[in-house]
Amino acid sequence: MPSTIPKTQRAVIFEDFNGPLTLQEIPIPEIQPNEILVNIKYSGICHSDLSTYHEAWGSLTNTKVLGHEGAGIVVAVGSNVTGWSIGDYAGVKLINSTCSQCEYCQQAQEILCSKLTLNGINRDGTFQEYCATDALNAAHLPKHVDLSQIGPILCAGVTAYKGLKTSGARPNEWVAIVGAGGGLGSLAIQYAKSMGLKVVGIDGGEDKASSAKKLGADEFIDFTKVKDVAKEVIDITGGGAHACINVSTSEKAIQQSVSYVRSNGTVVLIGLPPNAKISIDILPTVLRQVTIKGSYVGTRWDTSEAIDIFARGLINCPITVVGLGDVPKVFKLMEENKIVGRYVVDTSK
Ligand code: NAD
Ligand code: ZN
């Protein structure tokens, strides 16, 4: 490693589920031959970090550092790595590494690899100044981008974009974005507009309504005020949304979306309320030819596309920048559904 890399760094340490999150000085990780070391400048705070902290993924969790929306600068390159140089801008995603050999990796569907490792879940993530990550799965970022803005694209952005692609919705069709005021929702609105879709955003409160409208939602439904959300969606869209993108954290809202999707339409499941279930009536699902699909982050190629759309100036991340020590405060706001857009940690603060 070059001598400019310090020996220790600041990190938010997560020792126990639901326990204290403390700012500590820890060693800088050593990189493996297949890895790069990224000096994380900014990291988005995703609701999945909060769910990890709340023990939502059980025994899968094995890390002391949360975070998986890191944007920074490469400071060291492993001996087997090609295609990366010191000084490059790099994005650290949820997926750290995959096996590169299984059926799914061979099909470029590496997100389905059973051997994948996950930053901020079973590898130390991006709520630290330096993060080691597999070079093949790190995202190349263009040099002109604002690193604070692009952090959230690495999870929220690509997941929203991939969910929209998965829905099969075509230009000029209606997409309902459920959870439109949050991190994924704010970006889903804009990716949907960039694809020529009409957007009805659903979320709760004045702040989320004005944010969704500002980001391009054609219509907004406040679920805390509107009694019959399904009827409202059906009225606005003239028969139901062609696609429903579920990026809320509410089991009830996800369940409800099945009732206002248009015939031949698709309900995409992205939000992960812990232990949640949906139930569907088989007869109308069959007669109306409704598709229900899960969608998980995005492949390397989905990520490249999401970054390209962002880098062309079509996406504005509505970010609030905080310091590393503010993560517990942000988690509290998130638990209360008070986050509008995305909070981003500046690791130098
Ligand atoms: P967030 O907290 O920023 O946003 C969630 C939004 O849902 C909030 O604005 C909240 O007000 C809204 N909401 C709550 N109840 C609602 C209701 N009844 N109707 C409409 N909206 C409602 O969270 P986020 O970071 O955007 O993440 C959203 C979800 O997506 C989380 O469950 C997260 O774990 C999950 N996620 C999934 C993937 C994946 O690959 N599938 C990737 C990233 C995040
Ligand atoms: Zn995430």
Side-chain angles (χ1 to χ4, degrees):
M1 289 185 189
S3 57
T4 50
I5 302 172
K7 292 236 163 349
T8 61
Q9 59 159 337
R10 289 154 71 242
V12 182
I13 299 297
F14 149 70
E15 304 270 6
D16 280 313
F17 298 118
N18 304 304
L21 292 162
T22 50
L23 200 49
Q24 293 183 26
E25 196 73 22
I26 63 165
I28 307 253
E30 289 287 326
I31 51 169
Q32 300 299 313
N34 62 310
E35 291 181 335
I36 53 175
L37 184 66
V38 183
N39 176 201
I40 303 292
K41 297 293 184 191
Y42 295 93
S43 173
I45 305 176
C46 179
H47 206 110
S48 299
D49 295 314
L50 177 63
S51 297
T52 308
Y53 173 73
H54 284 325
E55 205 175 352
W57 332 125
S59 60
L60 198 63
T61 308
N62 179 22
T63 181
K64 287 206 177 325
V65 183
L66 301 169
H68 56 265
E69 285 187 350
I73 300 173
V74 176
V75 291
V77 176
S79 54
N80 285 349
V81 171
T82 55
W84 284 103
S85 303
I86 289 172
D88 286 349
Y89 277 14
V92 178
K93 307 181 295 178
L94 178 67
I95 292 179
N96 180 314
S97 67
T98 62
C99 80
S100 298
Q101 292 181 14
C102 70
E103 160 190 356
Y104 301 109
C105 285
Q106 287 191 52
Q107 293 168 2
Q109 288 296 316
E110 74 279 358
I111 55 175
L112 303 174
C113 173
S114 62
K115 291 189 178 145
L116 49 73
T117 63
L118 301 169
N119 286 313
I121 294 186
N122 52 33
R123 289 288 311 259
D124 286 350
T126 55
F127 296 166
Q128 58 180 344
E129 290 177 277
Y130 292 86
C131 181
T133 198
D134 177 50
L136 196 61
N137 285 284
H140 285 273
L141 307 179
K143 268 279 172 72
H144 70 273
V145 298
D146 174 343
L147 290 175
S148 65
Q149 280 264 324
I150 203 166
I153 301 298
L154 279 317
C155 176
V158 64
T159 304
Y161 170 64
K162 193 288 197 72
L164 286 158
K165 282 209 298 184
T166 298
S167 79
R170 289 175 305 208
N172 216 39
E173 291 187 336
W174 277 104
V175 59
I177 296 174
V178 191
L184 270 66
S186 300
L187 297 173
I189 292 170
Q190 298 173 75
Y191 279 107
K193 295 309 290 181
S194 79
M195 295 163 147
L197 296 162
K198 292 180 286 198
V199 171
V200 50
I202 305 168
D203 210 312
E206 292 298 326
D207 291 352
K208 305 215 180 194
S210 68
S211 163
K213 286 277 191 168
K214 208 166 97 194
L215 297 174
D218 299 275
E219 301 281 347
F220 183 84
I221 300 171
D222 186 333
F223 77 91
T224 64
K225 290 191 186 144
V226 171
K227 256 207 178 128
D228 190 343
V229 170
K231 181 177 178 308
E232 192 78 5
V233 176
I234 290 167
D235 286 351
I236 288 171
T237 57
H242 298 84
C244 301
I245 306 295
N246 281 291
V247 286
S248 86
T249 45
S250 160
E251 179 176 17
K252 185 175 161 215
I254 296 169
Q255 177 70 56
Q256 207 170 32
S257 70
V258 179
S259 67
Y260 56 72
V261 67
R262 214 177 187 95
S263 293
N264 251 349
T266 302
V267 173
V268 182
L269 307 180
I270 296 175
L272 294 164
N275 306 313
K277 291 191 170 49
I278 57 166
S279 80
I280 51 163
D281 287 331
I282 293 173
L283 186 66
T285 306
V286 171
L287 299 192
R288 302 201 309 106
Q289 299 199 142
V290 169
T291 303
I292 298 176
K293 280 185 175 178
S295 184
Y296 180 37
V297 286
T299 62
R300 291 192 291 149
W301 184 244
D302 296 321
T303 308
S304 296
E305 288 184 337
I307 290 170
D308 185 58
I309 295 168
F310 170 85
R312 286 188 287 120
L314 298 173
I315 310 292
N316 161 39
C317 276
I319 56 168
T320 305
V321 178
V322 295
L324 273 171
D326 294 321
V327 170
K329 259 192 283 179
V330 177
F331 275 6
K332 181 112 204 338
L333 290 172
M334 207 172 239
E335 280 164 359
E336 294 165 356
N337 282 335
K338 285 190 182 151
I339 302 262
V340 181
R342 199 50 132 200
Y343 276 59
V344 170
V345 169
D346 174 345
T347 63
S348 72
K349 288 193 185 153

